[in-house]
Amino acid sequence: MMVEYYFKSQDKKFTLIKENVFDALPKFEFEFDMIFADPPYFLSNNGLSIQNGKVVSVNKGKWDKSLGFDYINLFNRKWLKQVRELMKEDATIWI
């Protein structure tokens, strides 16, 4: 399997991918120096907020709806375990 890159720097020292973590991670056969992740916050709850002076929905999409604490905990433990297995011992992670 091959990873499709969203962005790759010209010096090839930085690569950004945009893919489901559970699909992407098994494709890598090396360890990372740094991981930057933006996981779902599960905040879509049909609520409202104010943005630029206007009332807006907080719903981001189906992917951001909470299925309860146990689901969120399992989801985070699962992706973090997969990520940790691919990190170098002295790697950093930004979430």
Side-chain angles (χ1 to χ4, degrees):
M1 286 188 264
M2 185 125 171
V3 176
E4 289 189 36
Y5 301 111
Y6 185 75
F7 171 82
K8 193 167 199 169
S9 65
Q10 289 183 357
D11 61 8
K12 298 183 180 173
K13 291 183 179 183
F14 174 78
T15 303
L16 182 65
I17 63 169
K18 182 181 173 184
E19 188 174 348
N20 183 307
V21 68
F22 302 116
D23 297 332
L25 288 178
K27 297 176 185 177
F28 290 96
E29 297 178 2
F30 58 86
E31 293 182 322
F32 294 95
D33 295 307
M34 195 271 291
I35 301 280
F36 180 91
D38 185 18
Y41 297 135
F42 302 108
L43 297 177
S44 294
N45 62 5
N46 298 322
L48 299 173
S49 184
I50 303 293
Q51 186 176 46
N52 297 326
K54 296 182 181 180
V55 177
V56 295
S57 170
V58 298
N59 291 345
K60 304 294 181 217
K62 208 170 166 182
W63 56 268
D64 191 50
K65 290 222 180 251
S66 174
L67 299 176
F69 177 79
D70 291 334
Y71 172 82
I72 294 170
N73 192 39
L74 180 65
F75 173 85
N76 284 320
R77 287 179 176 270
K78 183 178 175 184
W79 78 263
L80 284 166
K81 181 178 186 288
Q82 282 186 297
V83 165
R84 180 62 189 113
E85 290 172 358
L86 290 173
M87 292 173 66
K88 293 180 180 178
E89 285 300 314
D90 61 347
T92 58
I93 184 168
W94 295 54
I95 301 171

